[in-house]
Amino acid sequence: AQSVTQLDSQVPVFEEAPVELRCNYSSSVSVYLFWYVQYPNQGLQLLLKYLSGSTLVKGINGFEAEFNKSQTSFHLRKPSVHISDTAEYFCAVTALGYYGGSQGNLIFGKGTKLSVKP
Amino acid sequence: DVKVTQSSRYLVKRTGEKVFLECVQDMDHENMFWYRQDPGLGLRLIYFSYDVKMKEKGDIPEGYSVSREKKERFSLILESASTNQTSMYLCASKIGDDSYGYTFGSGTRLTVV
């Protein structure tokens, strides 16, 4: 069975500082990986995704993530954060079947709350 | 722009009431999902549906049921609301291929008093 671990429940950071939100997954098969962002009192919005190919994935709002198969990680990074990046971030994984299609549903991590201070 | 619409943003209900949470998507997606979100627990899947009139239990179906009579609408039903069902409820949909990810509604914050 797949699982997702977000190693930090809360990450406080000052404005314009770099940030990394960590995500590790467990799966015995190939996966698709996603990061979602949830602003206060809103639903989840897709930030970026890794399907195949280049391990460095760029998303919206200046975020990027790197897929590391050997480390089973998919950490999210931004070189300089803004106050408006304050939100909760969710990592998610879905396993792929033998013929490449996804099996089952998305499995979500428990979320990391990013708090950007002035 | 594609949309998943949840009919209520905030809802307050009394213990024992029957509660309906409605979700409508305009993307012709086959799959629809109901999650509940609680602090520290992330998103937990309640039920999902991969076609009209089809439903599957998720991880925490107890105390809930669902209805999908039309492709675009997926309803979550609390047969007899209890205080431990106070939560944020999120609806999502996707086409058959997971590579596109899920599209989420804005959520319904339900308080049971």
Side-chain angles (χ1 to χ4, degrees):
Chain A
Q2 296 76 45
S3 66
V4 177
T5 302
Q6 292 184 241
L7 296 154
D8 305 295
S9 59
Q10 297 190 45
V11 173
V13 65
F14 287 106
E15 195 173 19
E16 298 184 6
V19 71
E20 179 179 82
L21 306 183
R22 297 180 293 168
C23 172
N24 285 89
Y25 68 93
S26 67
S27 177
S28 58
V29 298
S30 297
V31 295
Y32 290 157
L33 291 156
F34 303 82
W35 275 100
Y36 285 84
V37 59
Q38 184 181 34
Y39 299 105
N41 295 314
Q42 293 188 27
L44 277 68
Q45 177 184 353
L46 183 64
L47 203 53
L48 51 76
K49 61 186 177 183
Y50 171 79
L51 305 180
S52 65
S54 173
T55 56
L56 184 63
V57 179
K58 293 189 184 297
I60 61 172
N61 301 338
F63 283 92
E64 62 182 32
E66 185 154 20
F67 170 58
N68 187 320
K69 188 174 182 179
S70 62
Q71 305 274 341
T72 60
S73 68
F74 190 54
H75 300 333
L76 182 70
R77 301 185 184 102
K78 187 170 183 179
S80 176
V81 294
H82 302 289
I83 299 286
S84 59
D85 293 322
T86 294
E88 190 160 18
Y89 293 79
F90 291 91
C91 183
V93 64
T94 186
L96 303 181
Y98 183 79
Y99 297 103
S102 58
Q103 290 183 316
N105 301 312
L106 274 187
I107 306 297
F108 287 88
K110 293 185 176 181
T112 298
K113 288 187 176 177
L114 175 65
S115 174
V116 182
K117 304 174 188 300
Chain B
D1 201 11
V2 296
K3 275 194 173 179
V4 175
T5 303
Q6 294 184 233
S7 54
S8 304
R9 291 298 304 273
Y10 300 93
L11 215 50
V12 180
K13 296 292 182 181
R14 294 193 179 278
T15 301
E17 274 193 79
K18 190 169 186 176
V19 181
F20 293 85
L21 302 184
E22 305 289 346
C23 176
V24 177
Q25 51 99 358
D26 65 358
M27 297 165 284
D28 204 34
H29 284 178
E30 295 94 351
N31 301 273
M32 297 187 75
F33 305 83
W34 275 106
Y35 290 88
R36 66 176 281 176
Q37 181 182 12
D38 300 288
L41 298 179
L43 276 71
R44 293 181 291 168
L45 182 63
I46 305 171
Y47 268 96
F48 64 100
S49 168
Y50 52 88
D51 202 351
V52 176
K53 296 192 186 294
M54 305 303 287
K55 60 185 179 184
E56 295 283 345
K57 293 180 179 179
D59 300 317
I60 52 163
E62 296 78 19
Y64 303 94
S65 62
V66 290
S67 172
R68 193 162 180 206
E69 296 297 317
K70 294 185 178 181
K71 191 175 186 179
E72 67 270 19
R73 186 180 297 269
F74 191 36
S75 302
L76 179 69
I77 304 157
L78 287 65
E79 296 289 343
S80 178
S82 63
T83 55
N84 63 13
Q85 292 177 309
T86 292
S87 186
M88 168 72 98
Y89 290 87
L90 292 166
C91 176
S93 72
K94 74 174 178 90
I95 63 172
D97 183 352
D98 262 349
S99 66
Y100 292 93
Y102 291 15
T103 301
F104 282 84
S106 297
T108 296
R109 188 167 292 282
L110 173 67
T111 302
V112 182
V113 297

